[in-house]
Amino acid sequence: ASLLVTKEGSYRIILQDDAGHTMQQLPDTSRTDGLEDVYSADGRNRMSGYYRIHPLPDAPPRVEFVTPNRDVFIAPGGELATQVKLFDQYGLSDATFWASKEGEPPRAVHHYELEGKREGTFDFTFKLPADCAQGDKVVYYATATDNRVLPGVDGPQTSMSKKFKITVQDAAKLAEEKAKRYDELRKRLLAILDMQLKQRVNTEICWKRHGTVAEIGRASCRERVFAVV
């Protein structure tokens, strides 16, 4: 026999014969741990010897990327090493890695081997499809489904991780742009250093002549530093 639980309550089992005589009661009326009495609204004892039911909520599973957990750039034909973290209080029935070009329907690329686990981290290396060209964007994410199968409620619950993008870009071009950004940053830092050295000299001269510090130049240095940061 089964009992559909929708809220907190109590229950007991009574075995009667055809004449309506009670032959056995579970639990019995003796006071033991785990039993309680049921009282009416006016506080009178209605029945003795009940088991208490404490229903627990079944939260959806959790799924999140550990790595890379961000948007990335990959050369055509490249690979992306990923790791997801999964958890469900009662058990997982499925976990899937999805990927597709931006604007296209998502495609199930990989099903993680759960092996009856309720939680854990799982690795998967995603290889860019052969038709991905320079400038294409691929959206990827993961889903996790629990094993909830209960009468009177909806079926299994599915959760989805954050979505991330892979921008397909040639490795040589990536290196060139990275070198260019580094060179620009270097020039800006050298300019700030030069400005600080000049301001230090001006500050010493100002202090010797007037007993004050030139704040305008120092403020300009701070502004340039903040712009780099």
Side-chain angles (χ1 to χ4, degrees), residues 4 12 15 46 48 58 64 77 81 107-108 161 163 171 212 214 227:
L4 177 61
R12 66 177 177 178
L15 179 63
R46 292 174 55 193
S48 210
D58 184 7
E64 60 182 10
R107 183 171 61 92
S161 72
K163 291 184 177 182
T212 60

Side-chain angles (χ1 to χ4, degrees), residues 14-24:
I14 299 177
L15 179 63
Q16 295 179 326
D17 59 18
D18 293 338
H21 300 123
T22 299
M23 301 174 60
Q24 187 180 4

Side-chain angles (χ1 to χ4, degrees), residues 38-229:
V38 176
Y39 293 89
S40 61
D42 59 4
R44 295 182 181 180
N45 186 306
R46 292 174 55 193
M47 287 178 283
S48 210
Y50 270 71
Y51 288 122
R52 185 69 174 171
I53 299 175
H54 295 283
L56 300 176
D58 184 7
R62 297 201 299 266
V63 52
E64 60 182 10
F65 277 93
V66 179
T67 55
N69 196 30
R70 58 182 174 83
D71 296 339
V72 295
F73 293 86
I74 298 180
E79 296 181 344
L80 176 66
T82 69
Q83 185 178 77
V84 294
K85 185 177 182 180
L86 308 173
F87 171 80
D88 187 78
Q89 185 175 1
Y90 299 106
L92 295 162
S93 63
D94 180 75
T96 305
F97 181 95
W98 301 78
S100 63
K101 287 185 180 180
E102 191 173 35
E104 296 183 359
R107 183 171 61 92
V109 177
H110 174 73
H111 292 279
Y112 298 97
E113 296 293 335
L114 301 175
E115 300 177 346
K117 296 180 180 178
R118 296 190 299 110
E119 62 180 308
T121 54
F122 301 84
D123 298 324
F124 171 64
T125 299
F126 172 63
K127 183 175 177 59
L128 284 178
D131 61 346
C132 283
Q134 176 80 13
D136 285 346
K137 295 183 184 296
V138 176
V139 179
Y140 73 95
Y141 62 94
T143 59
T145 303
D146 64 15
N147 59 3
R148 184 178 72 176
V149 181
L150 298 172
V153 297
D154 294 332
Q157 304 174 102
T158 298
S159 298
M160 183 175 68
S161 72
K162 291 182 179 179
K163 291 184 177 182
F164 299 100
K165 290 183 180 180
I166 300 172
T167 299
V168 182
Q169 195 163 3
D170 182 75
K173 188 173 182 179
L174 280 175
E176 181 183 348
E177 292 182 356
K178 184 177 181 180
K180 183 179 179 181
R181 289 195 300 268
Y182 174 80
D183 186 61
E184 291 176 352
L185 178 61
R186 178 175 174 275
K187 289 179 180 179
R188 294 172 69 180
L189 290 175
L190 288 175
I192 292 174
L193 178 60
D194 182 64
M195 184 176 183
Q196 288 177 330
L197 291 174
K198 292 179 179 178
Q199 182 59 31
R200 180 178 179 181
V201 174
N202 293 337
T203 299
E204 291 178 355
I205 295 174
C206 187
W207 179 259
K208 289 180 181 180
R209 291 182 178 180
H210 309 289
T212 60
V213 178
E215 289 292 339
I216 296 178
R218 296 173 66 179
S220 179
C221 287
R222 286 196 298 269
E223 290 175 1
R224 292 199 178 189
V225 171
F226 291 148
V228 171
V229 176

